[in-house]
Amino acid sequence: MRLRTPLALLGAALLTLVAPPLLTAGSGAETGTQIPGLRFMVPNTPGGGYDITARTAAKNAEDAGLTHNIEVFNLPGAGGTVGLTRLVGEHGNGKLAMSMGLGVVGAARSNHSPKTLSDTTPIARLTEEQDVVVVAKNSPYKTIGQLIGAWKKNPGKLPVGGGSAPGGPDHLAPMLMARAAGIEPKKVNYVPFDGGGELLASILGSKVAFGVSGVGEYLDQIKSGELRLLAVTGPKRVRGLDGPTLKESGYDVEFTNWRGIVAPPGLSDAEREKLTALITKLHASPEWHKSLKTNGWDDAFLPGEKFGDFLDAQDKRVVSVLKELGL
């Protein structure tokens, strides 16, 4: 996460099964990436960022011939900590990995989870993306200024929805928006959903006044006109979308989310190295780079121990920022 504010915050259902082609040279065997029976866990509901990331990674890895028959399954609950607990319980399972991101870091803290990401095996950070501030197409708010003007008058009466638990990106972004607009974060009526898929229905049904989520999750709905984009949270506008940054709109916030892959604890060196090699070669593939562009994701690849150090730093930052915001 990259963030430049006065607070100095740091800143991808059904199982997806793709029929494999016949194994040939270059199919993953000779590159050390073939993992028969590999499963990707998604710790929230279908349609959210973790889900899109996992299913995209699985399809791209198969299309690139790196491995075959990756099963993607959802295990939602408690902002991702139900999946996290399951992952940690799969000690030594080298055929399981989990799609995750900043939301799981925050949820583990806000839910006082007995298991944290320090109990997992870090494989790689993959992407970084901006959040978007969106409303339904029939919303009375046409600009970010109109929305925040109404929000300031009565923050409790304008609920904001996010696809992450308190402490996650979709919670931190509107809290930082509120702070920059002169709204006390404690007065914000934040409604958490277990992923962007659940949140979408509430935005379209006007159950929340506005929503905050990752750009890749709502790109299609924004382009089709179902959702109205009011602003993006990062340092620059998103290519192909007509929406200002918060900073150019007069609110001193720059914020980006990130996502990556972790595995159970207790892996052998060979298992850890094979998973890392698979994700490293996925990252280098043309299939993945095409998906980055399609989904509006920024490349943020960081493998192995460096990703582990990043996770430790993120955990400390989330705790610090929540304290600074009085939350």
Side-chain angles (χ1 to χ4, degrees), residues 46 54 79 89 101 116 157 169 171 213 225 232 234-235 241 254 259 273 296 310 326:
T116 69
K157 290 289 181 67
H171 171 248
S213 195
V232 298
L241 295 182
E254 285 187 11
R259 296 191 181 96
E273 289 168 4
F310 173 80

Side-chain angles (χ1 to χ4, degrees), residues 32-35 94 266-278:
T33 60
Q34 190 67 224
I35 307 176
L267 301 191
S268 67
D269 289 346
E271 289 171 324
R272 176 178 49 77
E273 289 168 4
K274 181 165 278 194
L275 271 171
T276 303
L278 171 62

Side-chain angles (χ1 to χ4, degrees), residues 60-84:
N60 288 172
E62 293 177 354
D63 288 348
L66 298 174
T67 193
H68 302 288
N69 286 347
I70 301 174
E71 176 187 332
V72 183
F73 69 101
N74 298 79
L75 186 63
T81 56
V82 170
L84 175 61

